Amino acid sequence: MYYELATMTLPFGTAGQAATQVQAFATAPEAQGELLGCWFSDIGVLNQMTVLRGFATLEALQAERERTQQSASPFGCGEIFQSLEQHSYKGFPWMKPVRPSAESGITGPVYEIRTYGIRTGGVQPTIDLWEQYVPARDKLSPCVVAMVALDGPLRFTNIWAYDSLNARSQIRAEAVAQGIWPPKGGPAHLTTNMVSTIAMPTAVSPLK
């Protein structure tokens, strides 16, 4: 499964309008792929909307990227956003494709979007370690997706769902206490380039 993670920086007070227009753009008859998540940042860099779209093939992702780039109003928000970034990813091969909350049962309403830089040669060891450790970690809170970037610096992004901010803190502490997270040896494959955003689903987000 292939994914696009797009981030828009929006003027204050425009999130609701932007979300509606993102949904219309991503579900238009000519659109390829599927809208999976649409979140607005709460902790981290503020006033950012993050859009997750899924694609069955790399060709479909690239075609939709071209449509977005050629649009007079990307995501229907060309007159609103102050900046737009689009990044392509491939899901870890052993993970199930991301599905909306109505199908997967995965819900927030708190989502953490974490990106880690990967050292040279560290991609496959990271994928293998996560395959080993995520099942136990999933029992505490679900990993929505883990995916390796196909463009830009070598890195991977993972998204986690939590019932609340308090639950996030408690679960992360419990995972460390149980020795099930982080994967043993995993940090050795990562750089110090790490970013975390706490985001909440907008009204149009299929992941609620």
Side-chain angles (χ1 to χ4, degrees):
M1 190 73 175
Y2 294 88
Y3 301 97
E4 179 190 76
L5 203 62
T7 302
M8 288 180 283
T9 301
L10 301 170
F12 184 78
T14 62
Q17 176 188 355
T20 299
Q21 293 174 194
V22 164
Q23 182 185 45
F25 185 86
T27 58
E30 67 274 20
Q32 298 197 46
E34 180 181 12
L35 177 64
L36 296 169
C38 183
W39 301 281
F40 201 66
S41 59
D42 187 67
I43 298 175
V45 180
L46 299 181
N47 298 312
Q48 287 197 331
M49 179 166 287
T50 300
V51 179
L52 177 68
R53 295 193 285 177
F55 302 85
T57 67
L58 183 58
E59 290 74 19
L61 187 157
Q62 292 172 333
E64 183 63 10
R65 174 70 59 83
E66 184 174 338
R67 181 180 82 95
T68 305
Q69 291 176 338
Q70 293 180 351
S71 171
S73 182
F75 290 99
C77 297
E79 301 301 318
I80 302 175
F81 65 70
Q82 297 175 344
S83 65
L84 168 65
E85 293 186 9
Q86 294 173 267
H87 300 281
S88 302
Y89 288 87
K90 183 177 182 180
F92 283 13
W94 52 268
M95 291 200 79
K96 294 180 180 179
V98 178
R99 301 306 307 140
S101 294
E103 297 177 34
S104 66
I106 295 176
T107 60
V110 173
Y111 287 83
E112 184 171 19
I113 305 168
R114 300 176 69 91
T115 298
Y116 300 89
I118 305 178
R119 294 182 183 275
T120 301
V123 171
Q124 193 58 51
T126 297
I127 291 173
D128 293 342
L129 282 168
W130 275 57
E131 183 175 15
Q132 179 182 351
Y133 280 85
V134 163
R137 179 64 176 77
D138 256 343
K139 294 178 180 179
L140 301 180
S141 65
C143 181
V144 177
V145 68
M147 50 192 183
V148 176
L150 299 178
D151 46 24
L154 193 61
R155 68 201 187 281
F156 79 101
T157 294
N158 50 116
I159 302 176
W160 299 84
Y162 296 95
D163 292 336
S164 66
L165 284 172
N166 285 340
R168 172 189 173 271
S169 297
Q170 293 168 359
I171 287 170
R172 287 178 60 83
E174 184 178 347
V176 172
Q178 292 184 18
I180 60 176
W181 204 259
K184 290 181 175 60
H189 300 292
L190 307 179
T191 72
T192 56
N193 184 13
M194 302 177 181
V195 180
S196 176
T197 299
I198 301 296
M200 308 300 182
T202 65
V204 307
S205 181
L207 280 165
K208 299 297 185 182

